[in-house]
Amino acid sequence: MILRRLNNLRPPTRSTTVAALVWLLCYIFAIPLSAANHRAVLVQAITTNDVAVQADLINSLANVPDPIIEQALTAWRQGSVYLYEPEDQPKVPFLLEAGTDATGKSRGIDLGTGEFIKDAAGQPLLFTAADLTAADTSSKLRRVIKTTLDLLALSNLNPNVRRDAASKLGQEQNADYLPHFRERLANEKFPEVRKALTEAIAITELLDEKADVRLGAVRALDQQRSIPGLDFLARLETEAKTKPQAFSLDLLNAIHQARIHIERHVSTSNFIETAFHGFSLSAVLLIAALGLAITFGLMGIINMAHGEMIMIGAYSAYLTQNLFIKMFGQGTRGFDFYFLAALPFSFLTAGLVGILLERGIIRHLYKRPLESLLATWGVSLVLQQTMRTIFGAANVQVYSPSWLTGNINAQDVVFAYNRLFVIAFAIAIVVFTWLLLTKTSLGLQVRALMQNRQMAACMGVRTDRVNMATFAFGSGLAGMAGACLSQIGNIGPSLGQSHIVDCFMVVVLGGVGNLQGTVSAALGIGVTDQVLQPHLGAVLGKITVLAAIILFLQWRPAGLFATRGRGLEG
Amino acid sequence: MMKKTLSKAELIGLAVAGVLVFLVLPLLNALPESHPLHLTTFTLSLLGKYLCYAVLALSVDLLWGYTGLLSLGQCLFFSLGGYALGMYLMLKIGTRGQYHTNLPDFMVFLEFPKRFPTTGGLPPHWIPFQHFWFAAAAIIWVPAVVAAIFGFLAFRSRIKGVYFSILTQALTYAACLMFFRNDFTFGGNNGLTDFKEILGFDLNAASTRRGLFMATAALLIITYLVCRWLTSSRFGKIQRAIRDSENRVLFSGYATANFKLFVFVVAAIIASIGGALFVPQVGIINPSEMATDKSLEAVVWVAVGGRGTLIGPILGAIGVNWLKSYATHTVPEYWLFILGALFIVMTLFFPKGIVGIPSQVRALKARWNRQSVSVAAPAALSPEEKP
């Protein structure tokens, strides 16, 4: 019956507007909508000429969880809802399907029925976007659509979208939204969204006329430690200065208390955030520099191609990813596991290149450390250019597996999964390296060589082999570092260059040949950098860290944890 | 081992080089363009650039070849000199820039008049660079001060070997980052460019270019002679002793740190003067000139030519740069392969560089002869092989 009435409704003239409104109000609050009904409302909204009626109709769609409404409204706002005007019949609003046929035409989807528009013979009609007239909108209408879309987002299936929508709508302090918020809150299960909704309600209620409601709202914000609420509370406080009669003493006290609590909360969470960023940067530095620290500590030569080992690891991850895309397709469950395969593959590739480098070049230069620095720099140039020849000079794209994208939000600090992973991975490889160095026979030999090469050789340690194994291990670690870095940054032929100076700084600062030095140096540099950055900017922060390292070496020339020995040449 | 006076061969070499650069090349350039032997101004400036690089190579060699300090930041001093003269040249553009104001273009573009309203937009430290004498003095004292501070800190805490190399690299890296910033008042990543005149001479005129070329050649010869004198003096002996065994020198009562600091500062000044002459001939100075890989390239010139000699770095700088100009023009994608291979091959097989090849061949020959002798008479040991 309602359907028929809707269809009979002619586009209302000015005189019928009031009647239509009255009808609409009864309609909205009395009768629950069925799927067909709200589509009819949508069609009605698009084809009507009166802006006020259109706005009301659009508003009425605000709590309809139907994806087509959202899609249609979004399209309308962007001007891609078109009107089909068959003769002697009402206009039909429609969307164009995605994609075109060979002649650049596509079929139209009738918004009322959800089916393709057909001609008399029952064949789908074909349209070209350029020839069509879009359903027009005014700026007022677009605003209404925007609000409706936001309200629709409140019931979106994705909790993150719901949360963002709630925070955004709350900022508008529009009392009309309160019923929507409350309704949503009653059904909401996700704590984050609940928090955002409560916050939105409280922020909106700050402007309520009743004093006790406002007091409740302030207390609610206080309890929530609501950071977005801080601005509104501050605004209230300034308002209280101009017209003190509207604010009771209780309310003023509550606002003051709330502000103090929230500000304290903000500084705590800023602190946690800085620490987290510092740790994740330290983890990156540590992963990248650990291999270098080992090879340098053992052989006393600097491998300038270390950065390129990182780059090789990153490209290995890229290749593994491509292989998995070919095997499973992107975004599939199988694809998600590529990273687990990429880690060992990067380790092996970089380790292999490391062995070749050690056998081919570095072996001959053990007695000439300065020159090995030059030769390995040459190797790094060759490797960079090789990668440029194979993969092109542009950066390549590595997609993160789904379990590394996203973040947790705790105490208003965003913990990104990939950064958490990098930290965990850094801890894991440090523990692994420590076990290898202290609990295996290879580790024993490595340490013997570090302490006294000749004596170790006399005792029967095959120095040649230990050198090779250690160099391969160090390079492999660099390779894994590259795979790890592929998850948080760009991959290009000059990836290694951007890390090499930092790696050197970690090694020089940490002192040669001990893990705790490398770990503390990485932590020190990473955290200092992140603490300085907000005040000085990225570049000045970095320069300050470099200067600080040079000055620090005045005090401890051999690094943080120098290995004590009696030899003159340390 | 090295004589104080110049040997006959050296004198002849210097004379030939002097005639070549002071007479022949400028004359060839002055010939009319239609003449088959005409040397274009472009080529002459290119040669001038190579000579500047040769000066830089000499400064690297003074540190690395003679004192054992592998500095990977020598290009920083080269660029500092370049910037000092570049600032003077920048202020001499006057109203001939894009914006036709007295300010250099980048200062107008970056809205310096708002930042430095009292001076009309010119940062205070730029003002004295309007005078050539100040810029010329700055070419000497700015790098000297930087080198003295850094060297004092580094040598005092006995940072040596690869540590020293890494720290010098970090120094130039930090400076490079600094100069890339727009608000550092040195033109950001565009650097200083578009110069018009030097000391009133038009920079685009062939005669000015000839003059600059001859000045560079003179600088190279003077630098050579200074280095020659320095390394053959008592001071040079201590220098080489530090290179070979620093601790022995230290325990013999020499304050090695002071010697190293002195050489470091001298090398910085030499590099800086080279950089100052580089800028008017190339026409631009920007922060990429002090990037870490440039300094390493300078080291490879020395390695290719032969470190620990004075003629080697000059040959290496000119040779490698000629190769670079040629390769980046004809096979640009292979240049890095060539450069990388040069690094590897020279360090592995020719540690003494081109200059050392004859002695290497002689040594090989001697060894080969000995082997054939010892095969014939195994009982006879040569004197070196006796225990």
PDB file of all heavy atoms in Angstrom, chain B residues 1-2 57-58 60-62 64-66 224 227-228 231 240 243 302 304-316 352-356:
ATOM      1  N   MET B   1     114.872   9.170   1.743  1.00  0.00           N
ATOM      2  CA  MET B   1     114.664   8.487   0.489  1.00  0.00           C
ATOM      3  C   MET B   1     114.274   9.481  -0.605  1.00  0.00           C
ATOM      4  O   MET B   1     114.625   9.332  -1.763  1.00  0.00           O
ATOM      5  CB  MET B   1     113.642   7.383   0.708  1.00  0.00           C
ATOM      6  CG  MET B   1     112.404   7.398  -0.146  1.00  0.00           C
ATOM      7  SD  MET B   1     111.214   6.247   0.563  1.00  0.00           S
ATOM      8  CE  MET B   1     109.717   6.877  -0.060  1.00  0.00           C
ATOM      9  N   MET B   2     113.565  10.544  -0.193  1.00  0.00           N
ATOM     10  CA  MET B   2     113.188  11.515  -1.205  1.00  0.00           C
ATOM     11  C   MET B   2     114.124  12.710  -1.118  1.00  0.00           C
ATOM     12  O   MET B   2     114.384  13.232  -0.038  1.00  0.00           O
ATOM     13  CB  MET B   2     111.760  11.965  -0.999  1.00  0.00           C
ATOM     14  CG  MET B   2     111.153  12.524  -2.265  1.00  0.00           C
ATOM     15  SD  MET B   2     109.517  13.114  -1.928  1.00  0.00           S
ATOM     16  CE  MET B   2     108.569  11.651  -2.172  1.00  0.00           C
ATOM     17  N   ALA B  57      92.864  15.815  -5.240  1.00  0.00           N
ATOM     18  CA  ALA B  57      93.511  14.507  -5.099  1.00  0.00           C
ATOM     19  C   ALA B  57      94.826  14.631  -4.339  1.00  0.00           C
ATOM     20  O   ALA B  57      95.162  13.784  -3.509  1.00  0.00           O
ATOM     21  CB  ALA B  57      93.739  13.896  -6.476  1.00  0.00           C
ATOM     22  N   LEU B  58      95.562  15.713  -4.607  1.00  0.00           N
ATOM     23  CA  LEU B  58      96.819  15.911  -3.876  1.00  0.00           C
ATOM     24  C   LEU B  58      96.559  16.035  -2.377  1.00  0.00           C
ATOM     25  O   LEU B  58      97.314  15.515  -1.557  1.00  0.00           O
ATOM     26  CB  LEU B  58      97.522  17.175  -4.382  1.00  0.00           C
ATOM     27  CG  LEU B  58      98.473  16.984  -5.567  1.00  0.00           C
ATOM     28  CD1 LEU B  58      99.043  18.318  -5.990  1.00  0.00           C
ATOM     29  CD2 LEU B  58      99.590  16.021  -5.205  1.00  0.00           C
ATOM     30  N   VAL B  60      94.078  14.717  -0.730  1.00  0.00           N
ATOM     31  CA  VAL B  60      93.751  13.385  -0.211  1.00  0.00           C
ATOM     32  C   VAL B  60      95.028  12.575  -0.025  1.00  0.00           C
ATOM     33  O   VAL B  60      95.215  11.879   0.980  1.00  0.00           O
ATOM     34  CB  VAL B  60      92.784  12.647  -1.171  1.00  0.00           C
ATOM     35  CG1 VAL B  60      92.595  11.209  -0.739  1.00  0.00           C
ATOM     36  CG2 VAL B  60      91.453  13.352  -1.235  1.00  0.00           C
ATOM     37  N   ASP B  61      95.923  12.707  -0.995  1.00  0.00           N
ATOM     38  CA  ASP B  61      97.162  11.925  -0.956  1.00  0.00           C
ATOM     39  C   ASP B  61      98.050  12.347   0.212  1.00  0.00           C
ATOM     40  O   ASP B  61      98.674  11.522   0.867  1.00  0.00           O
ATOM     41  CB  ASP B  61      97.907  12.112  -2.277  1.00  0.00           C
ATOM     42  CG  ASP B  61      99.113  11.201  -2.351  1.00  0.00           C
ATOM     43  OD1 ASP B  61      98.966  10.019  -1.988  1.00  0.00           O
ATOM     44  OD2 ASP B  61     100.186  11.676  -2.757  1.00  0.00           O
ATOM     45  N   LEU B  62      98.063  13.658   0.473  1.00  0.00           N
ATOM     46  CA  LEU B  62      98.865  14.158   1.586  1.00  0.00           C
ATOM     47  C   LEU B  62      98.416  13.494   2.885  1.00  0.00           C
ATOM     48  O   LEU B  62      99.219  13.168   3.756  1.00  0.00           O
ATOM     49  CB  LEU B  62      98.681  15.679   1.673  1.00  0.00           C
ATOM     50  CG  LEU B  62      99.727  16.478   2.436  1.00  0.00           C
ATOM     51  CD1 LEU B  62     101.098  16.254   1.845  1.00  0.00           C
ATOM     52  CD2 LEU B  62      99.357  17.948   2.401  1.00  0.00           C
ATOM     53  N   TRP B  64      96.288  10.558   3.067  1.00  0.00           N
ATOM     54  CA  TRP B  64      96.204   9.103   3.017  1.00  0.00           C
ATOM     55  C   TRP B  64      97.542   8.472   2.647  1.00  0.00           C
ATOM     56  O   TRP B  64      98.038   7.575   3.320  1.00  0.00           O
ATOM     57  CB  TRP B  64      95.121   8.695   2.016  1.00  0.00           C
ATOM     58  CG  TRP B  64      94.896   7.228   1.929  1.00  0.00           C
ATOM     59  CD1 TRP B  64      94.962   6.320   2.942  1.00  0.00           C
ATOM     60  CD2 TRP B  64      94.581   6.490   0.751  1.00  0.00           C
ATOM     61  NE1 TRP B  64      94.686   5.059   2.477  1.00  0.00           N
ATOM     62  CE2 TRP B  64      94.446   5.140   1.138  1.00  0.00           C
ATOM     63  CE3 TRP B  64      94.379   6.841  -0.593  1.00  0.00           C
ATOM     64  CZ2 TRP B  64      94.133   4.134   0.224  1.00  0.00           C
ATOM     65  CZ3 TRP B  64      94.049   5.842  -1.487  1.00  0.00           C
ATOM     66  CH2 TRP B  64      93.938   4.512  -1.086  1.00  0.00           C
ATOM     67  N   GLY B  65      98.130   8.995   1.573  1.00  0.00           N
ATOM     68  CA  GLY B  65      99.349   8.389   1.074  1.00  0.00           C
ATOM     69  C   GLY B  65     100.544   8.639   1.982  1.00  0.00           C
ATOM     70  O   GLY B  65     101.414   7.793   2.124  1.00  0.00           O
ATOM     71  N   TYR B  66     100.590   9.828   2.592  1.00  0.00           N
ATOM     72  CA  TYR B  66     101.775  10.166   3.356  1.00  0.00           C
ATOM     73  C   TYR B  66     101.602  10.039   4.858  1.00  0.00           C
ATOM     74  O   TYR B  66     102.550   9.870   5.586  1.00  0.00           O
ATOM     75  CB  TYR B  66     102.240  11.590   3.013  1.00  0.00           C
ATOM     76  CG  TYR B  66     102.933  11.654   1.685  1.00  0.00           C
ATOM     77  CD1 TYR B  66     102.248  12.003   0.534  1.00  0.00           C
ATOM     78  CD2 TYR B  66     104.280  11.318   1.572  1.00  0.00           C
ATOM     79  CE1 TYR B  66     102.874  12.031  -0.692  1.00  0.00           C
ATOM     80  CE2 TYR B  66     104.921  11.344   0.354  1.00  0.00           C
ATOM     81  CZ  TYR B  66     104.221  11.700  -0.776  1.00  0.00           C
ATOM     82  OH  TYR B  66     104.845  11.721  -1.979  1.00  0.00           O
ATOM     83  N   TYR B 224     101.778  21.290  -5.936  1.00  0.00           N
ATOM     84  CA  TYR B 224     102.725  20.188  -6.107  1.00  0.00           C
ATOM     85  C   TYR B 224     104.039  20.516  -5.416  1.00  0.00           C
ATOM     86  O   TYR B 224     104.582  19.713  -4.660  1.00  0.00           O
ATOM     87  CB  TYR B 224     102.940  19.934  -7.609  1.00  0.00           C
ATOM     88  CG  TYR B 224     103.992  18.894  -7.894  1.00  0.00           C
ATOM     89  CD1 TYR B 224     103.657  17.546  -7.938  1.00  0.00           C
ATOM     90  CD2 TYR B 224     105.324  19.272  -8.114  1.00  0.00           C
ATOM     91  CE1 TYR B 224     104.620  16.594  -8.187  1.00  0.00           C
ATOM     92  CE2 TYR B 224     106.291  18.326  -8.357  1.00  0.00           C
ATOM     93  CZ  TYR B 224     105.937  16.986  -8.392  1.00  0.00           C
ATOM     94  OH  TYR B 224     106.891  16.039  -8.629  1.00  0.00           O
ATOM     95  N   CYS B 227     103.706  20.483  -1.609  1.00  0.00           N
ATOM     96  CA  CYS B 227     103.642  19.109  -1.108  1.00  0.00           C
ATOM     97  C   CYS B 227     105.013  18.449  -1.220  1.00  0.00           C
ATOM     98  O   CYS B 227     105.433  17.696  -0.341  1.00  0.00           O
ATOM     99  CB  CYS B 227     102.618  18.289  -1.884  1.00  0.00           C
ATOM    100  SG  CYS B 227     100.937  18.767  -1.536  1.00  0.00           S
ATOM    101  N   ARG B 228     105.689  18.747  -2.314  1.00  0.00           N
ATOM    102  CA  ARG B 228     107.012  18.176  -2.558  1.00  0.00           C
ATOM    103  C   ARG B 228     107.960  18.615  -1.443  1.00  0.00           C
ATOM    104  O   ARG B 228     108.703  17.806  -0.875  1.00  0.00           O
ATOM    105  CB  ARG B 228     107.500  18.693  -3.922  1.00  0.00           C
ATOM    106  CG  ARG B 228     108.856  18.273  -4.357  1.00  0.00           C
ATOM    107  CD  ARG B 228     108.831  16.834  -4.837  1.00  0.00           C
ATOM    108  NE  ARG B 228     110.128  16.420  -5.337  1.00  0.00           N
ATOM    109  CZ  ARG B 228     111.182  16.183  -4.572  1.00  0.00           C
ATOM    110  NH1 ARG B 228     111.097  16.342  -3.278  1.00  0.00           N
ATOM    111  NH2 ARG B 228     112.328  15.785  -5.088  1.00  0.00           N
ATOM    112  N   THR B 231     106.832  17.066   2.019  1.00  0.00           N
ATOM    113  CA  THR B 231     107.054  15.635   2.217  1.00  0.00           C
ATOM    114  C   THR B 231     108.524  15.278   2.224  1.00  0.00           C
ATOM    115  O   THR B 231     108.902  14.231   2.733  1.00  0.00           O
ATOM    116  CB  THR B 231     106.349  14.821   1.124  1.00  0.00           C
ATOM    117  OG1 THR B 231     106.720  15.357  -0.139  1.00  0.00           O
ATOM    118  CG2 THR B 231     104.859  14.863   1.289  1.00  0.00           C
ATOM    119  N   ARG B 240     105.588  10.159   7.374  1.00  0.00           N
ATOM    120  CA  ARG B 240     105.619   8.772   6.883  1.00  0.00           C
ATOM    121  C   ARG B 240     105.828   7.796   8.026  1.00  0.00           C
ATOM    122  O   ARG B 240     105.299   6.686   8.004  1.00  0.00           O
ATOM    123  CB  ARG B 240     106.705   8.623   5.823  1.00  0.00           C
ATOM    124  CG  ARG B 240     106.304   9.236   4.495  1.00  0.00           C
ATOM    125  CD  ARG B 240     107.179   8.747   3.370  1.00  0.00           C
ATOM    126  NE  ARG B 240     108.585   9.138   3.544  1.00  0.00           N
ATOM    127  CZ  ARG B 240     109.045  10.354   3.255  1.00  0.00           C
ATOM    128  NH1 ARG B 240     108.227  11.285   2.801  1.00  0.00           N
ATOM    129  NH2 ARG B 240     110.309  10.631   3.433  1.00  0.00           N
ATOM    130  N   ARG B 243     102.571   7.143   9.511  1.00  0.00           N
ATOM    131  CA  ARG B 243     101.814   6.239   8.663  1.00  0.00           C
ATOM    132  C   ARG B 243     102.237   4.801   8.935  1.00  0.00           C
ATOM    133  O   ARG B 243     101.402   3.912   9.066  1.00  0.00           O
ATOM    134  CB  ARG B 243     102.062   6.593   7.192  1.00  0.00           C
ATOM    135  CG  ARG B 243     101.435   5.636   6.210  1.00  0.00           C
ATOM    136  CD  ARG B 243     101.906   5.916   4.810  1.00  0.00           C
ATOM    137  NE  ARG B 243     103.337   5.587   4.653  1.00  0.00           N
ATOM    138  CZ  ARG B 243     104.049   5.918   3.581  1.00  0.00           C
ATOM    139  NH1 ARG B 243     103.494   6.590   2.606  1.00  0.00           N
ATOM    140  NH2 ARG B 243     105.326   5.583   3.493  1.00  0.00           N
ATOM    141  N   VAL B 302      93.222   8.850  -6.261  1.00  0.00           N
ATOM    142  CA  VAL B 302      94.541   8.668  -5.661  1.00  0.00           C
ATOM    143  C   VAL B 302      94.972   7.207  -5.763  1.00  0.00           C
ATOM    144  O   VAL B 302      96.112   6.898  -6.094  1.00  0.00           O
ATOM    145  CB  VAL B 302      94.514   9.142  -4.194  1.00  0.00           C
ATOM    146  CG1 VAL B 302      95.870   8.939  -3.550  1.00  0.00           C
ATOM    147  CG2 VAL B 302      94.111  10.598  -4.122  1.00  0.00           C
ATOM    148  N   VAL B 304      94.069   5.000  -7.930  1.00  0.00           N
ATOM    149  CA  VAL B 304      94.388   4.637  -9.308  1.00  0.00           C
ATOM    150  C   VAL B 304      95.750   5.195  -9.695  1.00  0.00           C
ATOM    151  O   VAL B 304      96.584   4.513 -10.279  1.00  0.00           O
ATOM    152  CB  VAL B 304      93.291   5.145 -10.269  1.00  0.00           C
ATOM    153  CG1 VAL B 304      93.753   5.041 -11.714  1.00  0.00           C
ATOM    154  CG2 VAL B 304      92.022   4.357 -10.077  1.00  0.00           C
ATOM    155  N   GLY B 305      95.990   6.445  -9.350  1.00  0.00           N
ATOM    156  CA  GLY B 305      97.250   7.078  -9.743  1.00  0.00           C
ATOM    157  C   GLY B 305      98.439   6.515  -8.989  1.00  0.00           C
ATOM    158  O   GLY B 305      99.498   6.315  -9.550  1.00  0.00           O
ATOM    159  N   GLY B 306      98.224   6.250  -7.715  1.00  0.00           N
ATOM    160  CA  GLY B 306      99.323   5.750  -6.902  1.00  0.00           C
ATOM    161  C   GLY B 306      99.509   6.638  -5.696  1.00  0.00           C
ATOM    162  O   GLY B 306      99.956   7.765  -5.817  1.00  0.00           O
ATOM    163  N   ARG B 307      99.154   6.088  -4.530  1.00  0.00           N
ATOM    164  CA  ARG B 307      99.268   6.940  -3.351  1.00  0.00           C
ATOM    165  C   ARG B 307     100.705   6.917  -2.837  1.00  0.00           C
ATOM    166  O   ARG B 307     101.472   6.010  -3.151  1.00  0.00           O
ATOM    167  CB  ARG B 307      98.308   6.479  -2.267  1.00  0.00           C
ATOM    168  CG  ARG B 307      98.603   5.137  -1.695  1.00  0.00           C
ATOM    169  CD  ARG B 307      97.335   4.575  -1.111  1.00  0.00           C
ATOM    170  NE  ARG B 307      97.474   3.181  -0.807  1.00  0.00           N
ATOM    171  CZ  ARG B 307      97.803   2.728   0.400  1.00  0.00           C
ATOM    172  NH1 ARG B 307      98.078   3.565   1.368  1.00  0.00           N
ATOM    173  NH2 ARG B 307      97.904   1.449   0.609  1.00  0.00           N
ATOM    174  N   GLY B 308     101.015   7.926  -2.058  1.00  0.00           N
ATOM    175  CA  GLY B 308     102.374   8.016  -1.554  1.00  0.00           C
ATOM    176  C   GLY B 308     103.332   8.559  -2.592  1.00  0.00           C
ATOM    177  O   GLY B 308     104.528   8.603  -2.383  1.00  0.00           O
ATOM    178  N   THR B 309     102.799   8.970  -3.748  1.00  0.00           N
ATOM    179  CA  THR B 309     103.615   9.695  -4.722  1.00  0.00           C
ATOM    180  C   THR B 309     102.876  10.989  -5.005  1.00  0.00           C
ATOM    181  O   THR B 309     101.697  11.108  -4.677  1.00  0.00           O
ATOM    182  CB  THR B 309     103.738   8.927  -6.040  1.00  0.00           C
ATOM    183  OG1 THR B 309     102.448   8.866  -6.647  1.00  0.00           O
ATOM    184  CG2 THR B 309     104.255   7.530  -5.828  1.00  0.00           C
ATOM    185  N   LEU B 310     103.555  11.957  -5.607  1.00  0.00           N
ATOM    186  CA  LEU B 310     102.848  13.205  -5.857  1.00  0.00           C
ATOM    187  C   LEU B 310     102.325  13.287  -7.279  1.00  0.00           C
ATOM    188  O   LEU B 310     101.338  13.970  -7.548  1.00  0.00           O
ATOM    189  CB  LEU B 310     103.766  14.396  -5.559  1.00  0.00           C
ATOM    190  CG  LEU B 310     104.027  14.591  -4.068  1.00  0.00           C
ATOM    191  CD1 LEU B 310     105.014  15.713  -3.857  1.00  0.00           C
ATOM    192  CD2 LEU B 310     102.733  14.886  -3.332  1.00  0.00           C
ATOM    193  N   ILE B 311     102.976  12.570  -8.183  1.00  0.00           N
ATOM    194  CA  ILE B 311     102.534  12.640  -9.571  1.00  0.00           C
ATOM    195  C   ILE B 311     101.321  11.722  -9.769  1.00  0.00           C
ATOM    196  O   ILE B 311     100.432  11.996 -10.567  1.00  0.00           O
ATOM    197  CB  ILE B 311     103.697  12.292 -10.533  1.00  0.00           C
ATOM    198  CG1 ILE B 311     103.353  12.661 -11.965  1.00  0.00           C
ATOM    199  CG2 ILE B 311     104.089  10.848 -10.460  1.00  0.00           C
ATOM    200  CD1 ILE B 311     103.311  14.153 -12.168  1.00  0.00           C
ATOM    201  N   GLY B 312     101.268  10.646  -8.957  1.00  0.00           N
ATOM    202  CA  GLY B 312     100.181   9.662  -9.094  1.00  0.00           C
ATOM    203  C   GLY B 312      98.797  10.274  -8.958  1.00  0.00           C
ATOM    204  O   GLY B 312      97.960  10.121  -9.861  1.00  0.00           O
ATOM    205  N   PRO B 313      98.511  10.991  -7.876  1.00  0.00           N
ATOM    206  CA  PRO B 313      97.169  11.554  -7.710  1.00  0.00           C
ATOM    207  C   PRO B 313      96.773  12.472  -8.863  1.00  0.00           C
ATOM    208  O   PRO B 313      95.612  12.471  -9.277  1.00  0.00           O
ATOM    209  CB  PRO B 313      97.278  12.355  -6.413  1.00  0.00           C
ATOM    210  CG  PRO B 313      98.388  11.729  -5.674  1.00  0.00           C
ATOM    211  CD  PRO B 313      99.349  11.219  -6.691  1.00  0.00           C
ATOM    212  N   ILE B 314      97.769  13.229  -9.399  1.00  0.00           N
ATOM    213  CA  ILE B 314      97.436  14.142 -10.500  1.00  0.00           C
ATOM    214  C   ILE B 314      97.025  13.340 -11.720  1.00  0.00           C
ATOM    215  O   ILE B 314      95.984  13.596 -12.341  1.00  0.00           O
ATOM    216  CB  ILE B 314      98.647  15.054 -10.809  1.00  0.00           C
ATOM    217  CG1 ILE B 314      98.991  15.878  -9.568  1.00  0.00           C
ATOM    218  CG2 ILE B 314      98.361  15.940 -11.986  1.00  0.00           C
ATOM    219  CD1 ILE B 314     100.227  16.723  -9.722  1.00  0.00           C
ATOM    220  N   LEU B 315      97.837  12.320 -12.044  1.00  0.00           N
ATOM    221  CA  LEU B 315      97.496  11.458 -13.176  1.00  0.00           C
ATOM    222  C   LEU B 315      96.145  10.786 -12.945  1.00  0.00           C
ATOM    223  O   LEU B 315      95.300  10.714 -13.831  1.00  0.00           O
ATOM    224  CB  LEU B 315      98.577  10.388 -13.366  1.00  0.00           C
ATOM    225  CG  LEU B 315      99.943  10.877 -13.841  1.00  0.00           C
ATOM    226  CD1 LEU B 315     100.908   9.709 -13.955  1.00  0.00           C
ATOM    227  CD2 LEU B 315      99.790  11.571 -15.182  1.00  0.00           C
ATOM    228  N   GLY B 316      95.967  10.279 -11.710  1.00  0.00           N
ATOM    229  CA  GLY B 316      94.726   9.555 -11.404  1.00  0.00           C
ATOM    230  C   GLY B 316      93.516  10.457 -11.546  1.00  0.00           C
ATOM    231  O   GLY B 316      92.511  10.076 -12.157  1.00  0.00           O
ATOM    232  N   LYS B 352      99.777  -0.032  -5.554  1.00  0.00           N
ATOM    233  CA  LYS B 352     100.592   1.175  -5.711  1.00  0.00           C
ATOM    234  C   LYS B 352     100.137   2.041  -6.874  1.00  0.00           C
ATOM    235  O   LYS B 352     100.796   3.038  -7.199  1.00  0.00           O
ATOM    236  CB  LYS B 352     102.052   0.796  -5.905  1.00  0.00           C
ATOM    237  CG  LYS B 352     102.680   0.261  -4.634  1.00  0.00           C
ATOM    238  CD  LYS B 352     104.081  -0.215  -4.901  1.00  0.00           C
ATOM    239  CE  LYS B 352     104.668  -0.888  -3.679  1.00  0.00           C
ATOM    240  NZ  LYS B 352     105.812  -1.730  -4.046  1.00  0.00           N
ATOM    241  N   GLY B 353      99.049   1.665  -7.519  1.00  0.00           N
ATOM    242  CA  GLY B 353      98.508   2.489  -8.589  1.00  0.00           C
ATOM    243  C   GLY B 353      99.294   2.402  -9.880  1.00  0.00           C
ATOM    244  O   GLY B 353     100.201   1.578 -10.032  1.00  0.00           O
ATOM    245  N   ILE B 354      98.929   3.280 -10.827  1.00  0.00           N
ATOM    246  CA  ILE B 354      99.580   3.265 -12.139  1.00  0.00           C
ATOM    247  C   ILE B 354     101.073   3.511 -11.989  1.00  0.00           C
ATOM    248  O   ILE B 354     101.896   2.842 -12.607  1.00  0.00           O
ATOM    249  CB  ILE B 354      98.996   4.376 -13.036  1.00  0.00           C
ATOM    250  CG1 ILE B 354      97.495   4.189 -13.195  1.00  0.00           C
ATOM    251  CG2 ILE B 354      99.670   4.379 -14.390  1.00  0.00           C
ATOM    252  CD1 ILE B 354      96.836   5.337 -13.929  1.00  0.00           C
ATOM    253  N   VAL B 355     101.411   4.473 -11.124  1.00  0.00           N
ATOM    254  CA  VAL B 355     102.810   4.831 -10.956  1.00  0.00           C
ATOM    255  C   VAL B 355     103.614   3.631 -10.460  1.00  0.00           C
ATOM    256  O   VAL B 355     104.786   3.478 -10.791  1.00  0.00           O
ATOM    257  CB  VAL B 355     102.919   6.010  -9.963  1.00  0.00           C
ATOM    258  CG1 VAL B 355     104.367   6.344  -9.681  1.00  0.00           C
ATOM    259  CG2 VAL B 355     102.196   7.222 -10.517  1.00  0.00           C
ATOM    260  N   GLY B 356     102.968   2.765  -9.708  1.00  0.00           N
ATOM    261  CA  GLY B 356     103.690   1.634  -9.135  1.00  0.00           C
ATOM    262  C   GLY B 356     103.788   0.433 -10.044  1.00  0.00           C
ATOM    263  O   GLY B 356     104.456  -0.541  -9.696  1.00  0.00           O
TER     264      GLY B 356
END
